[in-house]
Amino acid sequence: MNEGYAIEAGYLSLNKKGEELCGDHIQYIEEGNDRALVLADGLGSGVKAGILSTLASTILCTMMESGMGIEESVKSLVASLPVARDRGNIAYSTFTVILVKNGERCVIYNYDNPVPVYLRNGKELPLSYSTENIEGKSIGKAETELRLGDSIIAMSDGCIYAGVGETLNFGWTRKEIVNYLEGLYDPGFSAKNLATLIVGRCKDLYNGHPGDDTSAAAIRLRQRSQVNVVIGPPTSKEDDRKMLTLFFAKRGKHVSCGGTTAKIVSNFLNTPVIPSLCYEDREIPPTSEIKGMDLVTEGVITLNRVLCLADDYLGTNEKYFDWAYKQDGASRLAKLLFEEATDIDFFVGCAVNSAHQDPRYNIGFNMKMQIVERLSEKLKTMGKRVKIAYF
């Protein structure tokens, strides 16, 4: 795979109303230069459906990780899937597998799920599916060359039935889903964003009471993007220049967090800090500007908000439609780290900030370090390449 490219995956699910567990299950694996995204939909809902979908996706992923080819893995799964004879011999779990080989070739297997949507340049690229009869079951298969910017979105049938009995007579059809994605498309959308757009709209159509488990999972080929964040001054004043020389030697965007940090960046660049008194969010201190920097924010309060947004982003992502359109420092930093960046380098100064020793603020040195470390782990969970350098 081209070193300048990255495969990005994101997914989101809604539980059927009244159910504690989702009957859909999604897994994503990385094996060498290959990537596989599996969305399984268990028959029915609740615990039983959750077990069945988890079993189906786990079997597929385990086989592929052990070195078995995708074709053999699908055959083994299909052969082992029981059918519900009292419900017309339908399978206990349907599934979609999106496999990207070496970042270049995309293979899709689809068994009784809605046909995945393939977007190229913001428009659907209809794929030609062949039908393979495996163990008496018809499996759709499509192959294509993956190009930079291409996105593939898999769905459970809770998406195309969204709104039945609530806002729509016949559900949200696949054609309408395609029109919706094409109408809102932005080349900067992440895979998680695409899944969130679909599931969020489904939730609205269900009036917040999903009539079925509803899931969307997306995979996308994108350009690698570097974001560098400097937080706090070094323990030794003599290391200011060393830290910032390394910081600015990095390609990509540059972000400063903290008032003292902004001052040492300002001195290094020999350009003033231009503060703002505009509170975009009354709980988040305003940003500043320094010529040569892409974003200058306050420190611990802003970072702690970003950490909370990361928790939500990895979960239900309910706050996305709030912070994605706000301009406070935490929202802007979240957009850079969650949506834009594939590679993130933190430059962390370990000096103790005297302002943080004021008991009125309940902020300590350890808190800053814990926030950085926890945020780093959550960014890694999002699939980012993260490095931390301490000074």
Side-chain angles (χ1 to χ4, degrees):
M1 182 169 64
N2 189 314
E3 275 299 312
Y5 296 168
I7 300 293
E8 180 180 73
Y11 42 87
L12 194 61
S13 296
L14 286 176
N15 295 4
K16 181 180 178 180
K17 61 183 177 183
E19 297 291 353
E20 291 293 324
L21 294 177
C22 186
D24 302 336
H25 190 77
I26 301 163
Q27 283 190 229
Y28 176 66
I29 61 171
E30 300 181 4
E31 192 66 27
N33 286 327
D34 296 342
R35 307 288 185 270
L37 184 66
V38 179
L39 187 158
D41 182 355
L43 180 63
S45 60
V47 175
K48 179 180 177 181
I51 292 172
L52 292 168
S53 61
T54 301
L55 181 63
S57 57
T58 301
I59 288 173
L60 274 173
C61 290
T62 301
M63 288 180 176
M64 287 188 283
E65 285 181 317
S66 66
M68 185 179 290
I70 179 66
E71 291 83 2
E72 289 303 313
S73 299
V74 170
K75 287 179 181 178
S76 297
L77 173 64
V78 171
S80 63
L81 274 178
V83 296
R85 302 195 183 282
D86 59 336
R87 299 183 64 173
N89 288 332
I90 60 176
Y92 272 114
S93 181
T94 61
F95 62 83
T96 302
V97 180
I98 302 172
L99 176 70
V100 179
K101 295 183 176 180
N102 201 34
E104 298 173 349
R105 189 78 179 162
C106 179
V107 184
I108 301 172
Y109 284 89
N110 194 54
Y111 177 45
D112 280 358
N113 276 341
V115 175
V117 178
Y118 196 110
L119 294 178
R120 176 170 289 169
N121 299 321
K123 299 294 180 183
E124 183 186 19
L125 176 67
L127 298 181
S128 177
Y129 280 81
S130 60
T131 301
E132 295 191 5
N133 190 290
I134 301 176
E135 301 293 331
K137 300 179 179 71
S138 296
I139 312 294
K141 179 184 177 183
E143 294 188 60
T144 188
E145 292 296 326
L146 195 64
R147 295 183 186 175
L148 188 63
D150 286 2
S151 301
I152 311 102
I153 305 103
M155 300 167 284
S156 65
D157 58 11
C159 292
I160 60 172
Y161 294 137
V164 171
E166 293 283 349
T167 58
L168 299 172
N169 289 329
F170 303 107
W172 197 29
T173 67
R174 184 184 179 281
K175 182 178 180 181
E176 289 170 327
I177 292 173
V178 170
N179 291 339
Y180 176 76
L181 288 170
E182 290 180 343
L184 290 177
Y185 179 79
D186 184 296
F189 280 168
S190 67
K192 178 79 175 203
N193 189 346
L194 289 169
T196 300
L197 287 173
I198 293 177
V199 173
R201 180 58 179 155
C202 289
K203 186 176 181 180
D204 291 340
L205 292 172
Y206 278 125
N207 280 332
H209 302 93
D212 193 8
D213 298 303
T214 304
S215 300
I219 198 164
R220 173 174 172 253
L221 181 64
R222 57 167 298 183
Q223 197 90 42
R224 301 208 75 89
S225 176
Q226 176 84 31
V227 172
N228 308 288
V229 184
V230 61
I231 304 167
T235 303
S236 171
K237 180 70 177 173
E238 287 70 32
D239 286 335
D240 284 5
R241 178 160 292 276
K242 175 185 176 183
M243 180 177 76
L244 292 178
T245 298
L246 293 170
F247 173 70
F248 283 108
K250 287 283 186 177
R251 59 184 175 81
K253 293 192 173 181
H254 295 83
V255 178
S256 167
C257 295
T260 307
T261 314
K263 290 178 184 177
I264 66 170
V265 169
S266 171
N267 291 336
F268 182 84
L269 295 176
N270 196 28
T271 185
V273 179
I274 304 173
S276 169
L277 296 178
C278 180
Y279 274 78
E280 298 283 348
D281 183 317
R282 65 181 184 177
E283 296 180 356
I284 302 299
T287 59
S288 300
E289 290 186 14
I290 300 175
K291 187 177 180 181
M293 295 293 292
D294 295 285
L295 178 62
V296 180
T297 77
E298 178 275 340
V300 172
I301 296 172
T302 299
L303 287 168
N304 193 53
R305 170 67 70 84
V306 174
L307 180 61
C308 292
L309 294 176
D311 278 327
D312 178 74
Y313 187 82
L314 289 169
T316 61
N317 206 21
E318 290 181 351
K319 296 178 182 177
Y320 171 78
F321 295 101
D322 181 22
W323 60 261
Y325 301 100
K326 290 174 65 177
Q327 292 301 309
D328 62 274
S331 296
R332 290 175 62 187
L333 183 54
K335 277 177 274 192
L336 281 175
L337 298 180
F338 305 169
E339 297 282 294
E340 185 170 328
T342 59
D343 301 75
I344 302 162
D345 281 15
F346 287 105
F347 294 76
V348 183
C350 297
V352 176
N353 190 331
S354 58
H356 291 173
Q357 307 314 302
D358 191 324
R360 292 176 299 171
Y361 297 111
N362 193 31
I363 297 173
F365 172 78
N366 288 338
M367 175 183 278
K368 181 179 78 171
M369 292 302 171
Q370 288 170 5
I371 290 173
V372 172
E373 289 169 6
R374 289 176 60 196
L375 181 57
S376 171
E377 289 305 312
K378 293 187 184 303
L379 291 169
K380 289 177 182 177
T381 302
M382 294 179 197
K384 315 293 183 182
R385 289 182 183 173
V386 181
K387 297 178 183 177
I388 305 178
Y390 295 98
F391 294 86

